[in-house]
């Protein structure tokens, strides 16, 4: 299969579903733009649609929730970090604008303020008792400033806490969400305490003051939402977005593939916070007041429900989810209440006549969430589309290659593999203890540059632990590990990958809910450069880099013949066991390794597949890649390895050529559990 024909797998012609989707989005956008005038327009035509200012205001609020949901979606949906205190960032953004425009925060005037007054950021406010400072931060300036401040708060809060995972992170964010409103309540000199900030300035644009007319706010909301949807998509389909998803799917594997957890998570937190910060400015400008109650735990939960309801990780989904739930609250529940009252009056039921559904919003949200979890866990618009099984033709687009990988493509994929002769990896006296258990005891091992070394030994002898300590996943108690002449013991796993050690895992650790292509693209993370800004702007440099990465991915896929090519856009959890192993190897090759660690790569493969893989590893070796392989199948070991290291109970039993090791009595006793003579008899 050629790279060109693979492109058709990646960019299939638009299906009817895609066209319908595009048409829907276009239509909704037009309706959204026309919405404030629809009432008048239809009135002109003789219909009474009854769209008033309150309705425009309700939709403007729904837009604010949509932007919040989009921000939380980056944290929870993309990066998989459960944040229960997201409203805290909303509050920080809101107070940023509130404090710097409210008439309630007015320190005494001093010459210090003169330069700021010249810039138009503050104004002198004359009073009999002495002049005061009135902050007059422009709304338009406040948006990016609040985004910056909240992003910084996200980083400051995230740095110590983001090393926590799952439940622990949820608890800490819950605490943060509680703390911020409490602080707002308790520093009245800055926030006016529980009473909140009133008299927040309305935005002005070219001399036009928004005051309390909902329509201009509505359009700002539409623009803000559109902007954040755009940013969400740009980030999702970039190196950064892929790294977030890698962390969401499997943090350990992400690290081993070169993704820096701390940095990547902080980026998600900061971007999510920035979205909330901007929304805070918008919300407070619209309401012209900010009180601590507006940002409590219920708000965080509501936004989270919107994200889950709409579809975690789905940009359109969370936007829709926020809209539906927000309008449910402001439109449908009041109407429903009125109907209930009507029915109550008709049937003379006292309870129905006095019910107020809008007061039970939280209950109703709860019920919606439970129903959703039971019947449609992936949300209104799921982040990943359902996939059809491959057709017979699609599965057979190219023949299986015998005799390993195509040499030329392998050379292209591996890049420059020239190396000075000597030790590439030098493990010396490494000891790893898990509590009382010594998993590795003073193990020495050398992989010469360009060599293939096999590690064998009974189950539990410490082979995988050896790989884990080399790749920085478990710490060593003593010893040293030199790679390419430099110490790597103590480095983080992503740093070790950057140096050029890639690995596969004994129990396959792919990014299960991502496509084959994304898995391989994530493998290139450490070799690409595009950052947050680059991803959003997507300039020529970023685009070129992405194209090159894609073309390299396709090269790697073509190595495996028709095994992976037709499955390029399949979610890896749908693949067969052998194909998942292949994707894992492809992902490791994508990292441009100098040394490849394979942990039982042929486990679960049939003899033909095993042979195929052995030949492929051989090609890699012939093209200059050094390999350290854990393998039980002795024929594979004999075929590939220059040297075999035998581990038993965490100690190195012996090492030598495959033949010598095969005849070694100690090895037979430890490995096969019988004496050499028995083995001879059996043979
Ligand atoms: P092998 O790969 O040779 O089968 P492992 O390296 O997986 O063996 O395991 C070696 C020993 O270390 C086993 O006894 C295993 O139970 C123990 N072990 C491995 N990882 C851990 C861990 N993270 N915590 C505690 N014990 C572990
Ligand atoms: Mg193992």
């Amino acid at each position: 299969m050629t790279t060109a024909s693979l492109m058709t797998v990646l960019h299939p012609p638009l299906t009817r579903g895609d066209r319908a989707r595009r048409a829907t989005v276009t239509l909704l956008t037009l309706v959204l733009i026309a919405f404030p005038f629809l009432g008048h327009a239809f009135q002109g035509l003789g219909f009474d649609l009854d769209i008033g200012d309150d309705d425009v205001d309700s939709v403007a609020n729904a837009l604010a929730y949509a932007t919040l949901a989009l921000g939380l979606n980056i944290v929870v949906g993309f990066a998989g970090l459960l944040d229960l205190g997201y409203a805290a960032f909303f509050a920080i953004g809101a107070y940023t604008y509130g404090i710097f425009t409210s008439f309630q925060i007015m320190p005494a005037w001093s010459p210090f303020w003169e330069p700021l007054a010249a810039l138009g950021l503050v104004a002198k406010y004359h009073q009999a008792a002495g002049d005061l400072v009135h902050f007059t931060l422009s709304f338009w300036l406040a948006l990016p400033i609040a985004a910056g401040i909240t992003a910084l708060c996200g980083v400051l809060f995230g740095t110590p806490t983001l090393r926590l995972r799952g439940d622990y992170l949820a608890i800490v964010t819950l605490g943060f969400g509680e703390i911020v409103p409490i602080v707002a309540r308790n520093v009245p000199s800055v926030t006016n305490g529980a009473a909140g900030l009133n008299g927040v300035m309305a935005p002005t644009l070219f001399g036009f003051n928004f005051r309390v007319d909902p329509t201009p706010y509505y359009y700002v909301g539409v623009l803000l939402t559109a902007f954040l949807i755009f940013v969400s998509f740009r980030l999702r389909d970039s190196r950064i977005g892929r790294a977030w998803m890698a962390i969401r799917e499997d943090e350990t594997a992400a690290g081993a593939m070169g993704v820096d957890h701390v940095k990547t998570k902080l980026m998600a937190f900061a971007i999510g916070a920035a979205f909330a910060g901007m929304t805070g400015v918008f919300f407070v400008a619209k309401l012209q007041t900010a009180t601590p109650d507006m940002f409590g735990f219920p708000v965080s939960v509501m936004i989270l429900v919107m994200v889950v309801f709409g579809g975690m990780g789905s940009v359109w989904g969370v936007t829709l989810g926020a809209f539906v739930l927000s309008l449910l609250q402001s439109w449908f529940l009041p109407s429903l209440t009125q109907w209930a009252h009507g029915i109550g009056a008709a049937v003379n039921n006292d309870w129905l006549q006095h019910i107020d559904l809008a007061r039970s919003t939280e209950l109703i949200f709860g019920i919606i969430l439970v129903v959703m979890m039971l019947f449609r866990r992936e949300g209104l618009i799921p982040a990943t589309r359902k996939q059809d099984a491959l057709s017979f033709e699609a599965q057979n687009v190219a023949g299986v290659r015998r005799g390993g990988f195509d040499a030329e493509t392998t050379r292209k994929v591996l890049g420059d593999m020239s190396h000075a002769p000597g030790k590439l990896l030098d493990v010396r006296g490494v000891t790893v203890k898990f509590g009382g258990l010594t998993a590795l005891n003073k193990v020495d091992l050398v992989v010469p540059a360009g060599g293939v070394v096999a590690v064998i030994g009974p189950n539990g002898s410490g082979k995988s632990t050896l790989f884990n300590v080399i790749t920085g996943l478990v710490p060593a108690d003593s010893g040293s590990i030199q790679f390419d002449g430099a110490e790597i013991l103590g480095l983080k796993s992503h740093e070790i990958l950057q140096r050029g050690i890639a690995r596969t895992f004994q129990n396959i650790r792919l990014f299960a809910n991502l496509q084959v292509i994304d898995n391989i693209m994530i493998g290139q993370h450490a070799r690409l450069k595009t950052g947050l800004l680059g991803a959003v702007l997507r300039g020529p440099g970023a685009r070129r880099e992405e194209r090159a990465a894609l073309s390299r991915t396709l090269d790697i896929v073509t190595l495996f013949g028709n095994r992976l090519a037709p499955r390029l856009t399949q979610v890896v959890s749908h693949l067969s066991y052998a194909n998942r192993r292949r994707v894992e190897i492809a992902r490791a090759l994508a990292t441009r390794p100098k040394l490849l660690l394979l942990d039982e790569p042929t486990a679960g493969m049939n003899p033909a597949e095993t042979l195929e893989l052995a030949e492929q590893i051989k090609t890699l070796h012939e093209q200059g890649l050094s390999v350290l392989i854990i393998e039980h199948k002795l024929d594979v070991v004999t075929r590939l390895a220059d040297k075999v290291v035998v581990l038993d109970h965490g100690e190195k039993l012996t090492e030598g050529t495959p033949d010598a090791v095969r005849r070694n009595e100690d090895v037979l006793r430890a490995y096969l559990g019988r004496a050499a003579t028995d083995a001879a008899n059996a043979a």
Side-chain angles (χ1 to χ4, degrees):
M1 200 172 200
T2 62
T3 304
S5 64
L6 277 178
M7 285 315 250
T8 60
V9 180
L10 289 181
H11 303 290
L14 281 187
T15 63
R16 199 187 295 168
D18 294 323
R19 280 200 214 101
R21 187 183 286 235
R22 281 190 188 185
T24 316
V25 170
T26 315
L27 190 71
L28 282 178
T29 313
L30 290 177
V31 169
L32 217 53
I33 291 171
F35 177 74
F37 301 101
L38 280 185
H40 294 294
F42 276 81
Q43 230 158 31
L45 294 173
F47 298 101
D48 188 7
L49 259 191
D50 196 20
I51 296 176
D53 275 358
D54 328 352
D55 299 305
V56 176
D57 189 57
S58 295
V59 181
N61 282 338
L63 288 165
Y65 277 114
T67 54
L68 287 172
L70 284 165
L72 186 60
N73 183 47
I74 289 186
V75 181
V76 180
F78 288 176
L81 306 167
L82 185 52
D83 182 351
L84 293 180
Y86 184 64
F89 297 115
F90 182 34
I92 293 170
Y95 271 100
T96 304
Y97 185 61
I99 290 166
F100 289 111
T101 63
S102 167
F103 272 99
Q104 270 164 335
I105 306 301
M106 296 183 122
W109 180 266
S110 68
F112 167 81
W113 300 102
E114 295 284 1
L116 291 175
L119 288 173
L121 294 175
V122 302
K124 200 189 258 186
Y125 191 78
H126 298 289
Q127 253 196 353
D131 291 342
L132 297 176
V133 181
H134 176 219
F135 296 109
T136 53
L137 181 65
S138 144
F139 172 78
W140 311 106
L141 213 54
L143 282 173
I145 289 178
I149 290 178
T150 42
L152 187 69
C153 291
V155 171
L156 290 181
F157 170 69
T159 306
T161 55
L162 281 177
R163 53 194 93 238
L164 299 173
R165 294 187 191 190
D167 314 352
Y168 297 103
L169 180 65
I171 303 278
V172 174
T173 52
L174 181 69
F176 183 61
E178 289 296 296
I179 288 168
V180 169
I182 291 176
V183 170
R185 210 167 277 138
N186 289 299
V187 278
S189 58
V190 184
T191 63
N192 201 30
L197 293 167
N198 294 311
V200 173
M201 261 179 13
T204 48
L205 186 63
F206 303 123
F208 167 72
N209 193 317
F210 285 19
R211 293 183 203 285
V212 288
D213 178 4
T215 308
Y217 293 104
Y218 170 88
Y219 282 112
V220 173
V222 170
L223 284 179
L224 193 61
T225 311
F227 172 63
L228 297 187
I229 287 177
F230 170 79
V231 172
S232 295
F233 274 121
R234 279 277 163 106
L235 288 175
R236 187 196 69 176
D237 300 330
S238 73
R239 169 174 174 266
I240 305 294
R242 288 192 298 265
W244 284 337
M245 287 174 220
I247 284 191
R248 178 189 73 198
E249 295 294 318
D250 187 333
E251 203 172 316
T252 306
M257 287 301 116
V259 176
D260 180 347
H261 307 183
V262 178
K263 202 169 140 196
T264 310
K265 285 182 181 177
L266 279 181
M267 276 194 234
F269 231 61
I271 293 290
F275 279 28
M278 284 196 267
T279 313
V281 173
F282 170 66
F283 201 74
V284 161
K286 190 164 88 57
L287 223 56
Q288 290 168 18
T289 175
T291 65
D293 313 331
M294 284 160 48
F295 312 102
F297 179 59
V299 180
S300 294
V301 172
M302 185 152 80
I303 305 166
L304 190 61
V305 171
M306 287 167 172
V307 171
V308 174
F309 175 70
M312 263 198 252
S314 156
V315 176
W316 290 124
V318 301
T319 312
L320 182 68
F323 247 82
V324 170
L325 291 186
S326 167
L327 292 180
L328 180 82
Q329 204 176 0
S330 54
W331 280 355
F332 301 116
L333 289 186
S335 319
L336 226 61
T337 306
Q338 297 216 322
W339 285 349
H341 290 180
I343 295 170
V347 300
N348 206 2
N349 178 319
D350 193 47
W351 179 71
L352 266 182
Q353 284 187 54
H354 293 101
I355 195 172
D356 183 0
L357 290 172
R359 282 169 153 225
S360 327
T361 325
E362 273 146 37
L363 175 71
I364 293 167
F365 274 20
I367 294 172
I368 291 177
L369 197 61
V370 170
V371 171
M372 215 56 197
M373 284 303 105
L374 287 177
F375 297 107
R376 199 178 161 90
R377 213 168 294 175
E378 64 278 24
L380 287 181
I381 305 181
T384 47
R385 279 200 248 174
K386 272 223 173 64
Q387 290 178 317
D388 300 326
L390 285 184
S391 70
F392 190 70
E393 294 81 54
Q395 292 193 36
N396 287 281
V397 284
V400 186
R401 290 181 45 84
R402 299 247 171 266
F405 291 143
D406 173 60
E408 197 183 325
T409 319
T410 311
R411 251 195 307 278
K412 193 167 152 201
V413 164
L414 290 178
D416 179 23
M417 277 287 134
S418 57
H419 42 70
K423 298 173 182 174
L424 182 62
L425 181 75
D426 188 2
V427 177
R428 258 183 257 154
V430 165
T431 299
V432 174
K433 291 183 184 154
F434 296 113
L437 179 110
T438 306
L440 287 179
N441 191 10
K442 303 206 188 89
V443 170
D444 297 322
L445 177 147
V446 170
V447 180
V452 175
V453 175
V455 180
I456 65 170
N459 279 329
S461 57
K463 305 181 298 296
S464 296
T465 304
L466 177 65
F467 273 26
N468 288 343
V469 74
I470 293 171
T471 52
L473 296 182
V474 303
D477 291 85
S478 63
S480 101
I481 302 178
Q482 304 234 327
F483 179 70
D484 227 356
E487 183 66 40
I488 56 166
L489 200 58
L491 294 184
K492 303 242 168 51
S493 58
H494 70 269
E495 294 167 329
I496 294 172
L497 180 119
Q498 271 164 15
R499 305 281 178 100
I501 303 184
R503 69 169 294 173
T504 64
F505 293 85
Q506 181 174 353
N507 22 20
I508 310 178
R509 300 188 80 142
L510 285 168
F511 307 118
N513 294 308
L514 303 183
Q515 299 174 355
V516 171
I517 184 169
D518 293 323
N519 271 273
I520 302 176
M521 289 291 273
I522 290 165
Q524 303 189 52
H525 181 86
R527 309 295 171 219
L528 307 177
K529 292 194 190 64
T530 306
L532 272 179
L533 200 62
V536 175
L537 298 179
R538 203 181 280 176
R543 242 175 296 170
R544 205 175 315 121
E545 182 179 90
E546 196 73 356
R547 255 200 313 268
L550 184 63
S551 131
R552 190 153 174 277
T553 298
L554 298 184
D555 285 339
I556 294 170
V557 164
T558 37
L559 284 179
F560 292 87
N562 79 336
R563 298 292 194 186
L564 298 181
R567 297 173 178 79
L568 206 50
T569 56
Q570 294 256 309
V571 171
V572 289
S573 60
H574 294 183
L575 298 182
S576 71
Y577 192 77
N579 271 337
R580 272 184 272 161
R581 287 242 175 257
R582 292 187 185 104
V583 174
E584 214 189 9
I585 294 173
R587 184 180 69 177
L589 290 177
T591 68
R592 293 190 185 278
K594 288 184 200 158
L595 173 65
L596 181 61
L597 308 190
L598 299 167
D599 195 343
E600 305 198 16
T602 68
M605 287 190 173
N606 67 31
E609 289 170 335
T610 302
L611 189 67
E612 184 185 323
L613 185 61
E615 289 298 320
Q616 291 169 341
I617 297 170
K618 201 164 180 179
T619 321
L620 294 174
H621 167 52
E622 282 161 7
Q623 297 306 325
L625 186 65
S626 311
V627 179
L628 181 61
I629 179 172
I630 297 176
E631 185 53 69
H632 282 299
K633 296 175 185 164
L634 286 180
D635 51 337
V636 176
V637 171
T638 315
R639 186 181 283 263
L640 290 175
D642 318 320
K643 183 172 76 176
V644 180
V645 173
V646 188
L647 287 185
D648 187 29
H649 294 297
E651 308 210 2
K652 187 160 87 174
L653 205 58
T654 181
E655 71 170 57
T657 62
D659 276 336
V661 164
R662 249 185 157 159
R663 284 193 302 272
N664 185 308
E665 278 202 33
D666 289 340
V667 176
L668 287 170
R669 203 172 300 123
Y671 202 26
L672 303 174
R674 57 183 176 174
T677 43
D678 295 346
N681 290 343

